[in-house]
Amino acid sequence: MKIDRNKSALKLLWHRYQLTRWIIVAVLTLIFVISAYCTFIAKTTHVQNLQSSLEQSTVIYDSKNQKAGKIYSQKGTYVGYKDISTNIPNAILSTEDRNFYNEHGFSVKGFGRAILLMIKNKILHREYISGGGSTLTQQLVKNAYLTQQQTFSRKLKELFLSIQVENVYTKQQILTMYMNNSYFGNGVYGVEDASRRYFGMNAKDLPVQDAAVIAGMLTNPSAYNPVDHPKLALKRRNVVLQLMVENNKLSQSEANRLKKTPIVVKNTYQYKDGYKYPYYFDAVIDEAINKYGLSESDIMNRGYKIYTTLNQSQQNSLQDDFKNDSMFPSNAADGTKVQAASIALDPTTGGVTAVVGGRGQHVFRGYNRATQIKRQPGSTIKPLAVYVPALENGYSYNDILQNKKISYGSNKYTPQNYNNVYTGTVPMYTALAQSMNAPAVWLLHKIGVDKGYQSVKSFGLPVQKKDKNLALALGGLSSGVSPQQMAGAYTAFANEGNMTTPHYIRKIVDSSGKVIVDNDTTTSKNVMSKKVADEMTSMMLGVFDNGTGVSAKPSGYQVAGKTGSTEADNTGDSDATRDKWIIGYTPKVVVATWEGFDNTNAGHHLENLSGTGVGPLFKAEMQQILPTTGNNSFSVKDASYLDSHQGQGSSSSSSSDFWNDVKNGANEVSKDLGKGIDNLKKNANNWWNQAKKYVGK
């Protein structure tokens, strides 16, 4: 009786609140929402570009709009329907989708079967669906747009996209796209390349028995291809021949005859690798993904035209240099190679013209040391952290710096010069050219660490608050930098104080001709005055003329820049080096080169802390690159030359020269007020001596 009362109460409650109606409304609402979402996905996928994107590979163009190579996956040699033997579509349709011409992108029975299988798998706690009788159009959509993951949401998207494809293309076009986009094992896509790979002929010449082999591979290319599994391929071919009989595409007697013929394999397929500049193309793909929001699949398969800043001559020379083992130190005792990375870019635009990210076997979108390493920059940071802010705060390139072994602060931080050599005092330009540590730290201490920190930050390097200490002068960064970041910072010296951002892509055009990325305008950031940039270049010319970069100077050219190295800790070797750097530039190009082991320890480190060990590689790179860049002449002279010729001029100087010197001298005096009484007296005396010289004329 109690059970009956509960049933009656439930029934009364059900009717009172009309729960059946609400359940129907909820189900219909859910169907409407799902349908609306899937329709939106289908409408915004731009399937009208599907055929053109499958017909074309993504092509990379260089800075002169010349083809540099291709990037693609799931791409074979695309051929039209008329260039495919009718035996192939007959075999494929008999095997894969006999009702292809009588359905609109999907099979009602197949989709119903998918739903039933989904319900079954949910009950069994499986998070996928099995099979579902996909039509040929659905298979095309899955390969072109979707993942291979068997989920119900993917199946819904596949359904709606298939309907949209059927609305846009004819059956023959869909069948042609499917045959050209299908995978046939051994890295081969499309019936044309499959015909060449397995039978040594074009797809238009393929006989029935071989077409059946091709069709039979579609369900499992690795198991049914005649190269790796000839017996399984033969058995599968005979199944396909019988299916063709059932589909009225072949007589039984003909099928019986063909079943007795052997499979004769012949390979005339030649793979053409369009990935000619692997590290550069990797960087292009990374930029397209990270900066412009494209997916790797789209880039590889949508037939884009990507216009870059690549210089093919420079790229080829870099790649050749990295293949030349004589350019590098010997391998470690266990055979591990010394690694390296180089990048070249145009300082006026920031466009990367060449890049190599490592030695040895390249891995697609693998580790690119030119763009991804995070290593201490050593002395290459001195111009950014010390000398630029010093010049901006009134110092001059030939000012005298302290060159003594001094301890700073409560922690007694004591920077040391290479080989512990100190001269008491030294001109600023000599301290930079010879990469002396003690004067650099002394100068940063004088101008204030905060000024150095803000300067490094303005150059776009990843400094943190804990880097705000005197070790910053010697490259003591928490996170480290890449060659690309350092090259980008040095563009400011080559570009009159204006820093440009390294980039690879100028423009991307899709397969229909629509421009989807336009980055052909140059943006720059002013980080110092032209006067400071010129003074820095004047000092950094000395690095290669008479400093630590002498051995790396390219013959017949002037180059400015900086060398750097970092000490390898815990190796037991006082001369062990972790990183070696050389960054050099002209007004036309900036090149940054790094050398070291990926993992530094007692058995894997470089020698010679002087920082010149990477010189042979850098010198070879510059001697090959500079002839391609045009006029590399500087508008300034080496600082040591300027200092030695200071005060020498024509005896016929006009009175206006005198007043200009008076004005400039006064400006120098006013700027030097914050530098201390010694420098103030020095510059005032220099000004007075110049004035007396003119008065005495």
Side-chain angles (χ1 to χ4, degrees), residues 21 45 128 150 313 338 346 439 446 536 543-544 562 589 593 656 663:
R21 186 174 298 175
T45 302
Y128 59 89
Q150 293 284 347
S313 174
V338 173
D346 181 343
K446 282 292 183 181
M536 287 302 307
V543 171
F544 293 95
K562 189 71 186 73
V589 67
T593 297
S656 62
K663 178 181 176 182

Side-chain angles (χ1 to χ4, degrees), residues 73-179:
S73 66
Q74 293 182 215
K75 287 285 178 105
T77 303
Y78 198 98
V79 290
Y81 190 84
K82 63 181 177 57
D83 291 319
I84 300 173
S85 167
T86 56
N87 294 322
I88 298 177
N90 285 342
I92 288 175
L93 292 177
S94 298
T95 309
E96 297 295 314
D97 190 0
R98 293 187 195 178
N99 294 318
F100 174 68
Y101 284 100
N102 300 315
E103 60 203 11
H104 195 71
F106 71 100
S107 167
V108 175
K109 290 182 180 179
F111 197 73
R113 185 160 55 250
I115 293 177
L116 291 176
L117 287 169
M118 180 203 70
I119 295 172
K120 175 184 176 181
N121 289 328
K122 286 294 183 183
I123 293 173
L124 296 175
H125 302 291
R126 298 170 180 167
E127 295 301 321
Y128 59 89
I129 59 174
S130 304
S134 292
T135 66
L136 187 146
T137 307
Q138 286 176 274
Q139 292 180 50
L140 171 64
V141 165
K142 178 178 67 177
N143 291 336
Y145 292 116
L146 304 172
T147 68
Q148 300 300 310
Q149 185 180 8
Q150 293 284 347
T151 63
F152 189 68
S153 62
R154 195 225 73 194
K155 201 73 178 176
L156 276 174
K157 293 177 184 177
E158 180 185 294
L159 170 65
F160 279 77
L161 282 170
S162 297
I163 294 172
Q164 185 68 9
V165 167
E166 293 272 355
N167 288 336
V168 174
Y169 297 102
T170 66
K171 288 290 187 179
Q172 189 177 96
Q173 288 175 318
I174 294 170
L175 181 56
T176 303
M177 287 188 284
Y178 175 81
M179 290 189 290

Side-chain angles (χ1 to χ4, degrees), residues 404-603:
K404 300 176 181 178
K405 191 173 183 179
I406 302 173
S407 297
Y408 300 90
S410 58
N411 62 345
K412 302 296 181 182
Y413 175 62
T414 310
Q416 299 180 28
N417 289 341
Y418 181 64
N419 283 340
N420 261 320
V421 175
Y422 306 90
T423 59
T425 60
V426 65
M428 184 189 293
Y429 62 84
T430 301
L432 187 151
Q434 299 296 333
S435 201
M436 298 177 179
N437 292 334
V441 175
W442 177 86
L443 184 56
L444 180 61
H445 179 68
K446 282 292 183 181
I447 64 173
V449 172
D450 187 65
K451 286 186 172 67
Y453 174 84
Q454 293 301 328
S455 177
V456 173
K457 194 173 181 180
S458 72
F459 280 96
L461 299 186
V463 288
Q464 303 175 26
K465 287 186 177 180
K466 57 184 176 182
D467 298 327
K468 199 179 290 188
N469 56 68
L470 289 175
L472 180 66
L474 308 183
L477 301 184
S478 302
S479 60
V481 292
S482 68
Q484 179 168 293
Q485 287 174 311
M486 292 304 294
Y490 271 66
T491 61
F493 300 120
N495 195 34
E496 299 183 343
N498 300 305
M499 185 178 70
T500 52
T501 303
H503 66 276
Y504 298 81
I505 296 172
R506 294 184 289 123
K507 183 170 64 174
I508 300 178
V509 180
D510 70 16
S511 60
S512 69
K514 179 183 177 183
V515 177
I516 60 174
V517 170
D518 189 354
N519 185 40
D520 228 355
T521 56
T522 300
T523 56
S524 62
K525 173 188 175 185
N526 183 260
V527 293
M528 71 186 105
S529 68
K530 180 180 183 301
K531 179 179 181 297
V532 169
D534 285 345
E535 281 194 79
M536 287 302 307
T537 293
S538 181
M539 288 196 290
M540 285 193 280
L541 283 168
V543 171
F544 293 95
D545 287 343
N546 48 58
T548 55
V550 167
S551 64
K553 183 177 181 179
S555 302
Y557 291 94
Q558 267 203 309
V559 177
K562 189 71 186 73
T563 64
S565 59
T566 64
E567 186 176 351
D569 299 325
N570 304 318
T571 62
D573 183 348
S574 60
D575 219 20
T577 306
R578 184 172 188 260
D579 308 283
K580 291 182 180 179
W581 295 82
I582 297 184
I583 306 172
Y585 66 91
T586 73
K588 297 291 187 178
V589 67
V590 178
V591 176
T593 297
W594 165 88
E595 187 178 274
F597 284 95
D598 285 336
N599 297 297
T600 304
N601 51 46

Side-chain angles (χ1 to χ4, degrees), residues 46-85:
H46 304 297
V47 298
Q48 62 269 23
N49 295 337
L50 176 59
Q51 183 173 335
S52 61
S53 66
L54 293 178
E55 288 176 342
Q56 304 170 36
S57 297
T58 293
V59 179
I60 303 293
Y61 294 87
D62 66 12
S63 60
K64 296 180 179 178
N65 298 333
Q66 300 295 312
K67 287 185 179 180
K70 295 181 179 181
I71 55 178
Y72 53 84
S73 66
Q74 293 182 215
K75 287 285 178 105
T77 303
Y78 198 98
V79 290
Y81 190 84
K82 63 181 177 57
D83 291 319
I84 300 173
S85 167

